[in-house]
Every structure is written in structure tokens, then in C-alpha cells.
Amino acid sequence: MRRLVLKFGGSSVGDVEKIKHAAKIVMEHAQSTEVIVVVSAMQGETNRLLELAKKTYNPLVPNREFDQVLATGEIISASLMALALEAIGLKSISLTGNQAGIHTDDIYQDASIKSVDGSKIKSLIEQGVIPVITGFQGVCDDNITTLGRGGSDLTAVALAHELNADQCWIYTDVQGVYATDPNIVANNDIFHQMGYVTLKKMALAGAEVIQYAAIEYAENNQVSVRICSTFEPGLGTLVISDEAISKPIIVKYSGLTKLFHNAKTKQAYIKLFKNKIVYSSDDCYLLSMVLPEIKTKLRLIQHLDIDESIQANQTLISIFTPNTMFKKTLLVYFESITYVEILSTKKSDFVVRILVPDYKMKAMVSDLHYFCRDLSKEAVAL
């Protein structure tokens, strides 16, 4: 019998009615396949828990107790999903990351999976029980660890690999992977199939459809992933092998802070901000941190007035293009827009990166969507 891992994101389990709806999807799959379910916390719950933790402890310092707090969100979702499955006649049990055998390193708030012991899950499947696993968490030396934002994706992919599942289905609030975020510009420009490498580039650039670490894990272990909608029928996007980009893809990364550096501060900033650097150039870094946190960290290494070195509320927009013609045309297009900053691009990489103020993001993405659509039509005509 085929085996599937079904992961439901926060928007798919946002309230009790949505959990019941997701349970019906599980039941449909369970008629012909063995299923393992992975769930995120209910929409907004992780942010709520994080804010509670921040009120009691400095959020800049990784801490064991933060993960203890954050992990409760997924425990609630998993328990409610198991109850919903029981209510419609399916045997089910919820398992924490520890109970599911997910072992990680000891990097709190951003742990990596080191190994998975799927023996308990396999035993439950053999008994006809549907395991519902808490995403986003594992264990290291009996301590709960969390896998970073979007970590439930990584949980699902890792379990799919360990359990020899035929596919890992990522259920979300969109119909698949789009060339442009449909929450910003209404469109049906969905990729029916996409390669690991392309999706990794999109994730690094800020696309939130799947966690970067999850798709990297899928590529390294050749796990077939399908991204589809919880609320609209369809097969979504199958991610299985690399392929050339056939049309421009627009990805935005909002809420960034621009930090200028010089020869003296460059190395200190690299050490200070580590994996918070989204993009770097000769004179600045773009950081995925809010302004107060950046100022707090900067004051640890210097006592000068730092306000002039920082520009908050920036959006990095990356346009992945299928060839040099698209890239050159886009560069010419941007030169006429005063509020756009063209960032350096590699000659060998068909991508254009621009920086705009956050408040200009929606207008810029919308304009780009239609501009690239017209470019694509012209390319087909030629």
C-alpha cells in the first residue's frame, strides 16, 4: 500500500472547523493509503507564544525555555487533530517530536534534525492507527528543541524519508507554487512541477511556501514533495527534480533592515548577526531583524550614534528570469524608477534584485507581475 505524509500548516488548522475539514482530507487519503499527519500550531499561535516569552526574557539570547514555550502550540494542534480523526471513526494518536523519535542538535530556536527513529510510528501504522506528529520540534538530550520558523515542513519531509513514504504532501492556503504571490497579485500562474534548486532559490529570497531547510532536506534525500491547497481541490505543485525556469518568478522579502558597514565594522557585523544577513553588498547588509533588536546588538560592540547607519522597513524583491534577455530588459526598466535601488547581480545568475521601501512593495510587485507577463508573451511570439 502507498504511504503518504500529510502536513497541514497553521492556516489549515487555524480553528476547530478548519481542523475538522483537514481531518476529512486525511480520511479521504486513508481510504487507499497509509497516512502520517504532521501539523503546525494554529495560525498566529506561535507569534502569541513568542511575545509572551519575550516579555520575560531577552529574545536575542537563545534559551531552552523559549523552546519549551513555543513547542506547546503544535502539541495543541496535534491533540485536536487526533480527536477530530477519532470523531469521524479513525483510530489516531498524537505524538510530540520526542515521542516520534526526532533527534536534533542543541541549537535552540533553530535546531537541525540529526536523525529520526521511526520505529514507534511504523508500529502504530501496522496497528491501523494514524499518527499525528507535532511539527517544528524535536529533542536533544531530553530537552525540547524547535526547528526555526516553518520547521513543520522539515518535520514532514524528514519523516517521509525515514518512513519510505511515496510522497510528502504540504497542505497550505494557496494552490501551489506561484510565479507571483497570489496574496499580493491575484493570478493563476501556478507551476505544476518545479525543481528542488528553483524552489530553494525562492525560499532563500523570501518565499514562504516552504521552509528552505525542508526543501534542502528533500533534495538531499530525493523526497518527492507536493504543495497544494487545503481549501481548493487540485494536485498543486510537484517538487521532484530540477528544471530550467520557463518564466519570470517574483519573490519579495519584506520587513528588512539595511545596515551600512565599513572596513572596520564589516567582520564584527558578520559575527554579530550570523544567519540574519539576507543579502550583502560592498557597503551594506540586509538583516531579517527589527530595528530595536539591531540597535541592542550594535550597542554591544560600539558606543557611537548608530542611527545614521541603519535604514529600516525595506523590501528585497528578487526576479528570477529564464534568460539574459529578460534580465537586461528588467535592468533598463528599473533605471527609470527613482525609488528603486538596483542591487549587484552575478553575471552568471539570471536574477535581478532590487530594494524598495516596504510601503511601495505591493505596487512594485503588481507592476512587475504584469510587466513580466507581457515580456513572456513577447518571448513566445518571437
Side-chain angles (χ1 to χ4, degrees), residues 3 20 45 55 61 84 115 127 171 261 352 365:
R3 180 176 291 175
K20 290 180 179 179
E45 182 65 5
K55 290 178 180 178
V61 182
S115 65
Q127 298 170 50
Y171 277 98
H261 63 68
V352 178
V365 170

Side-chain angles (χ1 to χ4, degrees), residues 71-91:
T72 62
E74 277 70 23
I75 292 172
I76 293 170
S77 293
S79 301
L80 291 174
M81 175 64 80
L83 288 170
L85 291 171
E86 291 276 355
I88 56 177
L90 298 174
K91 294 180 180 179

Side-chain angles (χ1 to χ4, degrees), residues 19-29 81 84-85 88:
I19 290 173
K20 290 180 179 179
H21 174 72
K24 291 179 181 178
I25 294 175
V26 174
M27 182 173 66
E28 291 173 4
H29 282 291
M81 175 64 80
L85 291 171
I88 56 177

Side-chain angles (χ1 to χ4, degrees), residues 167-170 172 174-179 189-195 199 202 209-210 215 224-229 234-240 243:
Q167 278 189 354
C168 175
W169 288 48
I170 306 292
T172 182
V174 293
Q175 290 183 282
V177 180
Y178 289 72
D189 203 1
I190 299 173
F191 289 91
H192 297 296
Q193 184 169 320
M194 175 171 282
L199 193 53
M202 293 177 66
V209 67
I210 190 170
I215 202 62
S224 175
V225 177
R226 188 175 292 281
I227 300 169
C228 55
S229 172
L235 293 176
T237 303
L238 178 64
V239 187
I240 188 170
E243 60 183 351

Side-chain angles (χ1 to χ4, degrees), residues 178-182 184-189 248 250 319 330 333 362-376:
Y178 289 72
T180 305
D181 188 340
I184 301 175
V185 183
N187 71 96
N188 295 311
D189 203 1
I250 302 163
I319 308 98
L330 282 167
Y333 171 69
K362 289 187 178 180
M364 188 75 254
V365 170
S366 180
D367 289 347
L368 276 172
H369 170 74
Y370 294 111
F371 184 76
C372 288
R373 185 190 63 179
D374 293 340
L375 271 181
S376 298

Side-chain angles (χ1 to χ4, degrees), residues 176-340:
V177 180
Y178 289 72
T180 305
D181 188 340
N183 294 313
I184 301 175
V185 183
N187 71 96
N188 295 311
D189 203 1
I190 299 173
F191 289 91
H192 297 296
Q193 184 169 320
M194 175 171 282
Y196 297 116
V197 172
T198 300
L199 193 53
K200 279 201 306 181
K201 289 180 179 179
M202 293 177 66
L204 274 178
E208 298 177 350
V209 67
I210 190 170
Q211 186 198 43
Y212 175 83
I215 202 62
E216 183 178 50
Y217 197 107
E219 179 186 26
N220 291 341
N221 296 284
Q222 292 298 292
V223 177
S224 175
V225 177
R226 188 175 292 281
I227 300 169
C228 55
S229 172
T230 308
F231 309 107
E232 298 181 60
L235 293 176
T237 303
L238 178 64
V239 187
I240 188 170
S241 61
D242 197 32
E243 60 183 351
I245 298 173
S246 60
K247 51 193 171 186
I249 300 170
I250 302 163
V251 181
K252 61 89 180 173
Y253 201 142
S254 292
L256 302 177
T257 303
K258 187 175 183 181
L259 176 65
F260 293 94
H261 63 68
N262 54 41
K264 292 182 178 180
T265 58
K266 185 174 183 178
Q267 292 304 316
Y269 289 174
I270 290 177
K271 183 177 180 180
L272 196 63
F273 296 107
K274 297 178 182 177
N275 60 348
K276 296 296 184 180
I277 299 174
V278 172
Y279 180 84
S280 62
S281 68
D282 293 337
D283 66 346
C284 74
Y285 294 121
L286 290 178
L287 307 177
S288 58
M289 294 178 69
V290 297
L291 195 56
E293 292 181 354
I294 291 173
K295 287 186 176 182
T296 300
K297 279 211 166 192
L298 284 176
R299 291 192 178 100
L300 297 175
I301 63 169
Q302 62 184 38
H303 303 284
L304 305 175
D305 182 5
I306 58 177
D307 290 342
E308 293 183 0
S309 298
I310 303 175
Q311 291 181 4
N313 305 316
Q314 306 284 306
T315 294
L316 178 66
I317 300 176
S318 300
I319 308 98
F320 300 97
T321 68
N323 54 49
T324 54
M325 183 274 286
F326 278 87
K327 183 175 178 179
K328 290 177 181 177
T329 306
L330 282 167
L331 288 172
V332 172
Y333 171 69
F334 290 131
E335 286 174 355
S336 63
I337 305 175
T338 55
Y339 61 82
V340 166

